[in-house]
Amino acid sequence: MKLRCCIGLIIVAMVGNDAMGEFPGPIHDQIPIMPPRMISYTPSTKSRVRRSRQRSSFLAGFEVGTLGQRNSTTADVLGLKLLLGGRLFAVFPVSRDLYLKPTIGFFFKNQDIGKPSVTQFLAEAGLNIQYRLSKSSGFTWLLGVAQKAQADFSRISVGPISGATTTSSASETSPLLFRYRIGPTLGFTYQINRDLGLLADFEVSFTFTQPIHSYVGLVSGLIFKF
Amino acid sequence: MLKQKWIYVLLCLGLVSCSEEKPQGTIHANVIQPTGRHCEYTIAPGPITTLHSLTDMKGALGAVVTSSENLGSREEILDKHDGLNSVDVQFARSGNTYTPLDMDSLFALSLYYAVEFGYQLFTGLDSSESMTKVDPLSWSRTLIVHEARRTFGEIGVDPEVTDNAEYLSHRVTDDSGNEMVLNYLFSFPTDEVEDIPLGLNLGIMVHEYSHLVMQHLFWEKGISKDTLVSSEKPTKQTLGALDEGLADYFGYLATKDPGYFLCSFPSENRDLSVKKEFTDELIASLGSDRGYDTHTGGAVFAAINYEIGQAIGRDQNGIYLVQLMSSLLTCSNANLSSDSNTLNMDFGSVAACHAAIAKPEHKSQISSIYRSRLGSYGGI
């Protein structure tokens, strides 16, 4: 356990170093402000390029999808319990091929068995570091590290029960459970037009807490240039 | 400077995530609890003192596990616990109170809580040393199986069990040639139950735990003495029904709701507060294998004991019933013939044993209630 913790901390520290690599001067003056595929659509005339650089634009968007949590007992598919939800994100280039992608997300899953129900909620804030792998056929492929700080909580409720002397029901909301998870991510972007693109991300991540929980995320959405 | 701040933030996140859940002393499990009013439930913390690891749901009373295989598909599963895995659980903690974050965690925590509740119930009721002789704290290999997959019949032909719970005593021989009993408590998948799943019904899981106690206070004692069960009187059926009836009563003691069974099966005739008696038809069925259901006879015995509990105090009657389990083999009314070592008994002799155990001030009340409900089994 201690070894795993140490490895985890080292990874976190390394990721932190990479993410905070030294980039002299304002980023927008030196590197493209858009994911590679979108850049390829930027007109190449000097005037348009100048206008583009003058705009203080940034990239942001949303993703919806599922976050699968490994569950050996009552899985929805492939041993995973699927939470549904989505994320808001922004994209900041830190070098020609390296991007930071801060995200906030919210996922949930409701499980009913008879009258008792448990709704699991997962709120997360993350910072993905993505590296541009290739650009071909309109797609730009990105590989990186996904890391998320997540807060889990649940709402348990029960009743009313058939034949009970009362019709009251009960519910309870749990306190928050904070966890950190990290893992690889693979995604792509596809530009629809100058200001709009499609993207999809696949990630596999693991918590450090015992028991270690593994997650598989599959989300897709739209990315906008603002 | 900014770079350093981010590194510290990330390092802190890494440190926070390195904690492991190993409870020290008593914890409180935030689970679905009966309020004592009929089929009314609340979500409230209940104490658990014997759990060693929340991660593995393992404690002094056993472990909560699950299996992706049918438990009867390979001998090794029940013999050696091969293929039984811990349940994926996650809890949010506030102080010493743990709240499940998903349904499996709720089941796992509730199942262990119910077993410990049963253990504490019986320990509290035991005024003799009988329970120390069967102290389940020594049964660390007891397994509580969540979402158990099992077939009563032929695997692949008969359907797997759903909407049920079961205690199974599984006899194995270890590598040294010693015979031992492994205790299994099964909570089967929920299919048609629309109210409280059996695994979350405290009364039903304590009912199953009561079978475990009966196994070790009565059945194992008889087995160790090579006692035979007579086929001349309805002894086997009577003992089966007695086992069920006792379990029904202890489930009631756990929930304080005589109708706790109906919270899972509303249409069953298992409400202890509804008066029942041994009719000629029931007595006849106890004497034959045809059309016999241990639960039917058990429900009558439980209802009679509910009446006795109302008269002398439900916990006091619980104390007597634990003593009854323990002394049934040696009770003179059990007609255990010394020459053949064969047990002969019916509910008349069970009632006589029960009354014999009671304190003088309770004997007449117990006998009177039995007399009014025993039908053709006669007076005691």
Side-chain angles (χ1 to χ4, degrees):
Chain A
M1 181 62 193
K2 282 181 181 174
L3 177 64
R4 191 158 46 222
C5 290
C6 291
I7 293 170
L9 290 173
I10 290 166
I11 292 171
V12 168
M14 287 173 65
V15 168
N17 276 325
D18 282 347
M20 294 301 118
E22 294 179 5
F23 302 108
I27 290 169
H28 288 275
D29 286 350
Q30 298 183 32
I31 55 175
I33 58 168
M34 298 178 66
R37 181 58 195 157
M38 299 179 102
I39 290 165
S40 69
Y41 278 76
T42 305
S44 60
T45 59
K46 277 190 175 180
S47 60
R48 293 298 295 273
V49 170
R50 195 174 295 119
R51 272 206 299 276
S52 176
R53 284 185 177 171
Q54 284 166 353
R55 284 173 63 182
S56 143
S57 60
F58 70 101
L59 300 170
F62 68 88
E63 300 168 313
V64 294
T66 184
L67 191 62
Q69 186 179 25
R70 184 186 164 279
N71 186 290
S72 58
T73 315
T74 50
D76 295 312
V77 61
L78 299 174
L80 297 170
K81 179 180 62 182
L82 301 180
L83 287 77
L84 300 177
R87 293 182 181 128
L88 298 174
F89 66 88
V91 176
F92 300 103
V94 290
S95 72
R96 179 178 169 77
D97 293 323
L98 197 64
Y99 299 86
L100 289 182
K101 184 181 176 185
T103 66
I104 55 169
F106 190 81
F107 295 85
F108 74 98
K109 179 173 183 63
N110 183 64
Q111 293 174 291
D112 292 311
I113 298 184
K115 290 290 163 58
S117 75
V118 182
T119 308
Q120 179 184 357
F121 302 98
L122 186 156
E124 59 170 36
L127 183 65
N128 291 8
I129 299 108
Q130 293 182 309
Y131 179 78
R132 184 179 69 168
L133 281 179
S134 67
K135 185 174 67 175
S136 63
S137 304
F139 288 91
T140 300
W141 291 90
L142 300 158
L143 180 68
V145 173
Q147 53 173 346
K148 304 280 193 299
Q150 69 181 56
D152 297 81
F153 64 102
S154 66
R155 185 166 181 80
I156 304 172
S157 60
V158 61
I161 308 298
S162 311
T165 49
T166 63
T167 55
S168 65
S169 57
S171 62
E172 178 83 8
T173 301
S174 78
L176 295 171
L177 170 67
F178 293 100
R179 287 184 286 189
Y180 171 76
R181 68 177 204 270
I182 189 170
T185 177
L186 178 68
F188 69 83
T189 61
Y190 177 80
Q191 184 162 359
I192 296 172
N193 62 36
R194 177 180 166 79
D195 295 324
L196 180 65
L198 285 174
L199 83 165
D201 276 317
F202 173 77
E203 69 178 51
V204 179
S205 53
F206 306 89
T207 60
F208 283 113
T209 44
Q210 283 283 14
I212 292 175
H213 284 278
S214 53
Y215 293 82
V216 175
L218 185 59
V219 291
S220 63
L222 296 173
I223 182 169
F224 303 93
K225 179 183 173 189
F226 292 94
Chain B
M1 195 63 188
L2 184 65
K3 170 188 164 188
Q4 282 181 333
K5 275 187 181 177
W6 273 103
I7 291 172
Y8 289 141
V9 168
L10 292 168
L11 280 170
C12 286
L13 285 172
L15 281 170
V16 166
S17 66
C18 288
S19 60
E20 187 174 359
E21 296 296 359
K22 285 198 171 179
Q24 301 289 325
T26 302
I27 66 161
H28 289 87
N30 225 356
V31 292
I32 294 171
Q33 309 253 24
T35 64
R37 301 177 68 178
H38 178 52
C39 289
E40 185 182 273
Y41 290 85
T42 187
I43 295 143
I48 296 179
T49 59
T50 61
L51 196 59
H52 299 150
S53 167
L54 273 159
T55 302
D56 300 324
M57 288 306 300
K58 191 178 288 185
L61 298 172
V64 183
V65 297
T66 190
S67 171
S68 58
E69 294 177 83
N70 190 304
L71 296 167
S73 60
R74 291 187 293 122
E75 287 183 359
E76 293 81 5
I77 298 177
L78 293 179
D79 286 358
K80 298 180 178 176
H81 298 175
D82 184 47
L84 296 174
N85 306 308
S86 51
V87 181
D88 290 320
V89 292
Q90 46 187 349
F91 304 103
R93 178 183 179 180
S94 174
N96 243 3
T97 301
Y98 291 81
T99 305
L101 285 175
D102 59 19
M103 190 60 88
D104 286 317
S105 306
L106 176 64
F107 265 91
L109 195 59
S110 299
L111 288 170
Y112 193 93
Y113 173 74
V115 168
E116 177 164 321
F117 197 103
Y119 168 69
Q120 301 290 2
L121 175 71
F122 277 95
T123 304
L125 291 173
D126 184 39
S127 58
S128 67
E129 293 181 357
S130 58
M131 281 305 294
T132 55
K133 291 175 185 168
V134 293
D135 189 347
L137 289 173
S138 63
W139 305 335
S140 57
R141 298 188 70 190
T142 296
L143 290 185
I144 309 148
V145 186
H146 167 48
E147 291 281 309
R149 293 184 57 198
R150 186 161 146 78
T151 305
F152 296 152
E154 191 177 343
I155 296 173
V157 176
D158 296 301
E160 291 189 349
V161 182
T162 59
D163 298 316
N164 212 334
E166 181 191 8
Y167 164 71
L168 174 71
S169 61
H170 186 66
R171 197 165 291 278
V172 294
T173 305
D174 65 17
D175 296 338
S176 311
N178 299 320
E179 202 174 66
M180 63 185 297
V181 171
L182 298 177
N183 301 295
Y184 285 94
L185 292 149
F186 300 133
S187 166
F188 294 106
T190 303
D191 184 23
E192 294 180 357
V193 169
E194 295 178 351
D195 290 315
I196 298 293
L198 277 69
L200 298 183
N201 187 327
L202 177 68
I204 284 176
M205 292 317 295
V206 169
H207 168 112
E208 298 305 333
Y209 183 83
S210 302
H211 289 316
L212 183 155
V213 175
M214 179 74 169
Q215 180 71 27
H216 291 270
L217 282 182
F218 172 72
W219 295 105
E220 290 301 321
K221 276 185 185 176
I223 291 167
S224 68
K225 293 174 182 172
D226 292 326
T227 304
L228 302 174
V229 174
S230 172
S231 58
E232 291 181 11
K233 292 177 75 175
T235 306
K236 184 181 173 186
Q237 291 89 325
T238 298
L239 290 173
L242 175 65
D243 206 340
E244 291 299 334
L246 288 166
D248 279 1
Y249 188 81
F250 290 112
Y252 153 62
L253 289 190
T255 59
K256 310 290 188 285
D257 175 9
Y260 69 92
F261 205 93
L262 279 61
C263 311
S264 296
F265 295 108
S267 58
E268 289 284 316
N269 185 24
R270 298 285 284 273
D271 187 343
L272 277 68
S273 66
V274 176
K275 289 183 170 56
K276 301 178 186 69
E277 60 188 27
F278 284 98
T279 61
D280 292 342
E281 186 184 4
L282 178 59
I283 290 171
S285 73
L286 280 163
S288 73
D289 288 329
R290 199 165 52 185
Y292 171 70
D293 178 9
T294 54
H295 300 95
T296 308
V300 176
F301 182 78
I304 293 171
N305 273 277
Y306 177 79
E307 283 187 70
I308 294 170
Q310 294 294 99
I312 67 170
R314 62 188 176 207
D315 289 343
Q316 181 60 56
N317 194 38
I319 290 168
Y320 292 153
L321 291 176
V322 174
Q323 292 171 4
L324 179 66
M325 287 180 176
S326 186
S327 63
L328 203 54
L329 267 182
T330 54
C331 174
S332 60
N333 302 85
N335 298 327
L336 186 63
S337 53
S338 57
D339 53 340
S340 64
N341 195 26
T342 301
L343 190 65
N344 284 296
M345 62 192 315
D346 59 20
F347 270 107
S349 45
V350 170
C353 288
H354 188 172
I357 289 165
K359 294 174 184 172
E361 62 266 33
H362 296 144
K363 284 182 190 295
S364 62
Q365 288 169 290
I366 292 172
S367 298
S368 170
I369 293 168
Y370 271 122
R371 267 197 298 274
S372 66
R373 302 291 175 202
L374 279 178
S376 62
Y377 277 133
I380 57 171

